Amino acid sequence: MAGGTQGSGDAVSHTYENARTWLLMPSWVVLTFLALIPVILMLVYSFLTKEFRGGVIWDFSLAAYDQFFFDRGLFGDDPPTFEWTYITIFWRSIWQAGAATLLSLLIGFPTAYFIATRPAHSRAIWVFLITIPYWVNLLIRTVSMKFLLRDQGPLNDTLMGLGIIDAPLTLVNTNFAVQLGLFYSYLPFMVLPIYAAVERYNFSLSEAAADLYASKFVTLRRVLLPAVKPGVVGGCILVFVPSLGSFLAPDLLGGAKNYMIGSLIEEQFKGNAGNWPFGAAASMILLSMVLIVLIIFARSQAHREKGAK
């Protein structure tokens, strides 16, 4: 009987083992056609040559990458000098995305903690309230934010009506507006992973720390944060990466002085005046930078976990 049971268990296990490839096939097809193939096409286009009237010429070169890093003058025959324009745009994108991530973390962590500590029957309502504004298209929400912040918008009208300010504040086309737009766009991506981590947290650990006379700050830093760190890291990645490549918030709220890499890439694929190889090259540079950061972080986490064991 035992042998039969064991044999039956092995048969079921082998059945799932053989079916695993077929069960994963839809996921692999979707990832191949919606992720891998577009990236490969972008990589190929980054090595092509721009056609004068738009489009590309199938003549492989490094001209797009050369244009990103070097300035060779108007006619391309001057000695190369380092091109700081695009590097500056990249740096602005990094710190804008980093600042949006930090702001989302400062607001999102207390929000997620509050939701996770509500009674079980009301948590779904709080999560619903967090996500319901994001049922509306991102473009519509960004335009609404611009309407709210403009000189004659509701925010300035309210502040002037209360006598707090005498003249409208110039908020649109500023770094503040871009930060606010990125923060508003991606805040749920920070709240939800942290909420999931805090919900699984064993609060008896905090009670034990309090019994050992640990202050609330020490309990937060030494007990709670290490326990929910995966949720915090996941939320930071989910906010930082899309913020880095965002173009709606910079275009609509930031203006020309707050250009970001997403805006630069989007501009290269517009109409006949665009430069597809250069846009593809900038996309690949951005993708490579994000992948390098994620790989370094993953390796450091793996080493840290290995050392803890």
Side-chain angles (χ1 to χ4, degrees):
M1 186 69 176
T5 304
Q6 182 65 32
S8 175
D10 290 343
V12 172
S13 176
H14 288 310
T15 300
Y16 282 108
E17 183 73 21
N18 295 332
R20 182 173 60 181
T21 301
W22 295 104
L23 292 174
L24 290 175
M25 189 63 68
S27 299
W28 286 114
V29 170
V30 170
L31 289 175
T32 299
F33 282 95
L34 297 184
L36 183 60
I37 291 180
V39 171
I40 293 175
L41 289 175
M42 195 70 68
L43 178 63
V44 172
Y45 267 73
S46 70
F47 291 104
L48 298 180
T49 303
K50 178 183 181 297
E51 210 276 328
F52 180 74
R53 293 167 297 178
V56 296
I57 301 174
W58 286 85
D59 183 14
F60 288 88
S61 71
L62 295 173
Y65 292 94
D66 183 84
Q67 179 184 350
F68 189 92
F69 291 105
F70 298 103
D71 179 14
R72 297 180 182 272
L74 180 61
F75 299 101
D77 53 359
D78 293 346
T81 57
F82 201 74
E83 177 61 79
W84 288 104
T85 303
Y86 305 121
I87 302 298
T88 302
I89 293 174
F90 249 94
W91 171 245
R92 183 185 301 123
S93 303
I94 292 172
W95 81 257
Q96 286 274 33
T101 303
L102 179 60
L103 181 60
S104 297
L105 179 60
L106 293 177
I107 303 298
F109 188 91
T111 302
Y113 185 87
F114 173 82
I115 296 174
T117 53
R118 296 307 93 194
H121 66 274
S122 65
R123 292 174 193 169
I125 298 176
W126 287 104
V127 173
F128 175 77
L129 293 176
I130 289 291
T131 58
I132 192 171
Y134 299 86
W135 296 4
V136 181
N137 183 270
L138 177 60
L139 175 61
I140 297 176
R141 288 189 279 114
T142 306
V143 172
S144 300
M145 180 66 68
K146 184 174 183 178
F147 171 78
L148 178 67
L149 297 177
R150 65 179 185 172
D151 291 353
Q152 289 78 36
L155 179 60
N156 273 310
D157 289 345
T158 301
L159 294 177
M160 293 179 65
L162 295 175
I164 299 176
I165 57 175
D166 298 325
L169 298 175
T170 302
L171 299 176
V172 179
N173 297 334
T174 63
N175 285 327
F176 172 77
V178 176
Q179 285 297 314
L180 194 60
L182 294 175
F183 163 75
Y184 175 65
S185 298
Y186 303 112
L187 178 61
F189 295 162
M190 180 69 72
V191 173
L192 296 179
I194 297 177
Y195 162 73
V198 176
E199 191 180 31
R200 295 191 300 266
Y201 173 68
N202 185 0
F203 284 91
S204 62
L205 297 175
S206 297
E207 296 174 0
D211 291 339
L212 295 173
Y213 302 103
S215 64
K216 292 183 179 180
F217 176 76
V218 172
T219 302
L220 172 66
R221 185 171 59 90
R222 301 293 296 273
V223 180
L224 178 61
L225 284 179
V228 302
K229 183 178 178 181
V232 173
V233 172
C236 290
I237 292 174
L238 290 175
V239 173
F240 180 80
V241 172
S243 295
L244 189 62
S246 176
F247 64 89
L248 278 179
D251 283 359
L252 296 177
L253 300 175
K257 293 183 179 180
N258 298 283
Y259 220 51
M260 289 177 61
I261 188 64
S263 304
L264 174 66
I265 294 171
E266 184 247 355
E267 190 71 27
Q268 304 309 311
F269 292 95
K270 278 185 175 180
N272 294 330
N275 188 338
W276 288 19
F278 180 72
S283 300
M284 296 311 301
I285 293 171
L286 175 62
L287 177 62
S288 300
M289 183 180 67
V290 172
L291 288 178
I292 289 172
V293 171
L294 293 179
I295 290 172
I296 292 174
F297 176 79
R299 289 177 65 88
S300 65
Q301 285 293 105
H303 286 305
R304 190 174 303 171
E305 292 176 1
K306 187 180 296 184
K309 293 179 180 179

